[in-house]
Amino acid sequence: MNAPWRPTTREPFIGFVCDEATAETIRTIAGELGWAPEKVNKGGLRNAVQSLSVSSSPQILFVDLSESGDPLNDINALAEVCEPGTVVIAAGQVNDVRLYRDLVASGIQDYLLKPLSPDLLREAFATAQALLNAPKPVDAGVERPHCGIAVIGTRGGVGASSVSASLAWLLSEKHSRTTALLDLDVHFGTAALALDLEPGRGLTDAIENPSRIDGLFIERAMVRATERLAILSAEAPINAPLISDGSAFYQLQEEMRAAFECTITDLPRAMLVNHPHLMSEVQVAVVVTELTLAAARDTIRVLAWLKQNAPQAQPFVVANKVHANGLVEISRKDFENSIERKADLLIPFDQKLAAQAAKVGKPFVEAGKGSKTIAPLPAFAAQLLAVTDGEDAAPAKGKGGKKDKGDGGKSGGSLLGGLMSRKSKDA
């Protein structure tokens, strides 16, 4: 919880409950832990919000949600008045795993089912105390620029979302960077699905109410996948469009830059047309494509757009789902000739790994440890970090070191040659 901090002496524990049986159970355990039993108050969550709006928050707060008609919104109201560092434990009568996940994503430490078990209550309080007493991370004093990466699929189905999730996991787990994964496909995004999470309403709330976006909103809205990785995704209803001028998306990026060391934006290609300003602070653009004629055309167009509209973003081309034994629509050589540069990374097609990753709800790089399919991805993630950290890690340039010149008959076919000649016109 993270309301504005007020420098006041804080109680170790306060509870707000709805019934006498719950109050007696908590008073007994509180006495065992050396806390004042009289700090257990009647009134539940509503009384908690009213009391904490005018007084200091405790270190550990217990709230009873039994009388709440909308627990998730009420917890969000509680977050507005709680100070940073308050550990919140909630209890209620609704046995629903989705509610549990949403409440934990909103910032509470635990949700207990009533009637309360004394042993579970002791365990919850012990966990809260351990969290409060845990050593805080030491700032090593290393100042690094924020790592801003946009992943753009040239066509639907090329696997840009899978690449986004894998890169986010690698940066957070292998490079120990706090990482935000922002999935801007608000109706059909799959970032949460890829990590076996419920997306929540954070992204749709941001679009509907951009004025609410701040650091506290980011803390509440983002769904934590691991200790260092959090995502903001959506499954917005498809019966009505979400109208946005793009300001909400830009504000989200701004707040994420302040809250995380890395931001990976899964950026649908239509966003380049409708909201080009989303690329203004991005350092690296990962263009995910496949070895087909249509994808070659769209790769040319996206690269030309990036050069014109986001010159600060260093492009990398990832050819995904590359079939073995030459079973591709166009060869790698012809593809690279047509886009006038080498592909920086080729990811083999692996249906078995894709099915396994989907089944267990993990990104490719986590589900396929030891697989040759994902072997190049860790080095690729390190290369992207080197660029954002200001180190020398340039991607492959145009064929023969030359850029922006056609390759005529060397493109392997008249259609490909035609694509090259149209490159400058389709930016």
Side-chain angles (χ1 to χ4, degrees), residues 310-350:
Q312 85 291 343
Q314 187 163 321
F316 288 78
V317 175
V318 174
N320 194 24
K321 301 182 179 180
V322 178
H323 289 261
N325 304 319
L327 298 176
V328 290
E329 188 173 312
I330 59 176
S331 69
R332 175 182 179 179
K333 179 181 178 182
D334 288 341
F335 180 87
E336 291 178 337
N337 281 341
S338 69
I339 68 171
E340 297 183 293
R341 59 171 290 151
K342 297 289 186 182
D344 298 282
L345 176 68
L346 271 74
I347 303 177
F349 178 76
D350 191 334

Side-chain angles (χ1 to χ4, degrees), residues 135-355:
K136 302 298 184 288
V138 178
D139 185 0
V142 178
E143 291 199 10
R144 293 182 293 227
H146 179 82
C147 168
I149 300 172
V151 181
I152 306 162
T154 57
R155 300 191 63 75
V158 297
S161 294
S162 296
V163 172
S164 298
S166 289
L167 290 176
W169 188 87
L170 285 167
L171 296 183
S172 61
E173 296 303 306
K174 300 303 182 182
H175 295 275
S176 301
R177 305 282 183 103
T178 55
T179 304
L181 174 56
L182 175 60
D183 184 353
L184 289 184
D185 188 344
V186 296
H187 291 96
F188 301 101
T190 58
L193 191 63
L195 296 168
D196 195 26
L197 297 170
E198 293 288 341
R201 278 194 47 86
L203 184 53
T204 52
D205 286 345
I207 297 170
E208 292 169 349
N209 301 287
S211 61
R212 291 184 56 198
I213 300 172
D214 56 17
L216 178 60
F217 178 89
I218 291 294
E219 181 180 330
R220 293 201 315 264
M222 297 200 71
V223 179
R224 194 157 293 280
T226 67
E227 182 183 354
R228 296 187 182 91
L229 174 60
I231 72 168
L232 191 59
S233 184
E235 291 174 7
I238 60 176
N239 59 343
L242 283 172
I243 306 301
S244 174
D245 61 359
S247 61
F249 304 137
Y250 187 78
Q251 289 177 59
L252 287 171
Q253 287 181 321
E254 285 283 299
E255 294 297 337
M256 287 177 182
R257 277 193 287 272
F260 295 87
E261 294 175 286
C262 301
T263 300
I264 293 187
T265 304
D266 187 352
L267 193 67
R269 59 180 181 167
M271 287 283 189
L272 298 180
V273 180
N274 297 323
H275 308 297
H277 58 284
L278 296 182
M279 291 294 299
S280 62
E281 300 293 333
V282 169
Q283 298 146 294
V284 169
V286 178
V287 180
V288 183
T289 186
E290 58 187 359
L291 300 186
T292 66
L293 189 61
R297 179 200 65 182
D298 292 342
T299 301
I300 291 171
R301 301 181 74 190
V302 169
L303 290 173
W305 186 97
L306 290 169
K307 182 178 180 181
Q308 180 68 32
N309 297 278
Q312 85 291 343
Q314 187 163 321
F316 288 78
V317 175
V318 174
N320 194 24
K321 301 182 179 180
V322 178
H323 289 261
N325 304 319
L327 298 176
V328 290
E329 188 173 312
I330 59 176
S331 69
R332 175 182 179 179
K333 179 181 178 182
D334 288 341
F335 180 87
E336 291 178 337
N337 281 341
S338 69
I339 68 171
E340 297 183 293
R341 59 171 290 151
K342 297 289 186 182
D344 298 282
L345 176 68
L346 271 74
I347 303 177
F349 178 76
D350 191 334
Q351 182 62 45
K352 183 177 179 180
L353 177 56

Side-chain angles (χ1 to χ4, degrees), residues 42-203:
K42 289 289 190 68
L45 184 58
R46 180 172 298 180
N47 190 25
V49 174
Q50 292 175 347
S51 298
L52 298 180
S53 64
V54 294
S55 63
S56 177
S57 301
Q59 293 177 325
I60 299 174
L61 173 65
F62 182 94
V63 290
D64 192 339
L65 307 180
S66 299
E67 297 176 354
S68 172
D70 191 346
L72 189 57
N73 278 340
D74 289 344
I75 282 291
N76 288 338
L78 180 66
E80 300 286 349
V81 298
C82 266
E83 297 168 17
T86 299
V87 180
V88 179
I89 299 170
Q93 296 172 319
V94 179
N95 187 7
D96 185 338
V97 67
R98 178 171 296 211
L99 174 63
Y100 172 81
R101 287 176 174 176
D102 288 344
L103 289 172
V104 170
S106 296
I108 72 165
Q109 174 64 24
D110 205 352
Y111 175 75
L112 306 178
L113 195 63
K114 295 176 62 176
L116 296 179
S117 161
D119 289 338
L120 288 179
L121 190 59
R122 288 188 186 95
E123 183 180 341
F125 285 152
T127 301
Q129 287 180 311
L131 185 63
L132 288 169
N133 296 328
K136 302 298 184 288
V138 178
D139 185 0
V142 178
E143 291 199 10
R144 293 182 293 227
H146 179 82
C147 168
I149 300 172
V151 181
I152 306 162
T154 57
R155 300 191 63 75
V158 297
S161 294
S162 296
V163 172
S164 298
S166 289
L167 290 176
W169 188 87
L170 285 167
L171 296 183
S172 61
E173 296 303 306
K174 300 303 182 182
H175 295 275
S176 301
R177 305 282 183 103
T178 55
T179 304
L181 174 56
L182 175 60
D183 184 353
L184 289 184
D185 188 344
V186 296
H187 291 96
F188 301 101
T190 58
L193 191 63
L195 296 168
D196 195 26
L197 297 170
E198 293 288 341
R201 278 194 47 86
L203 184 53

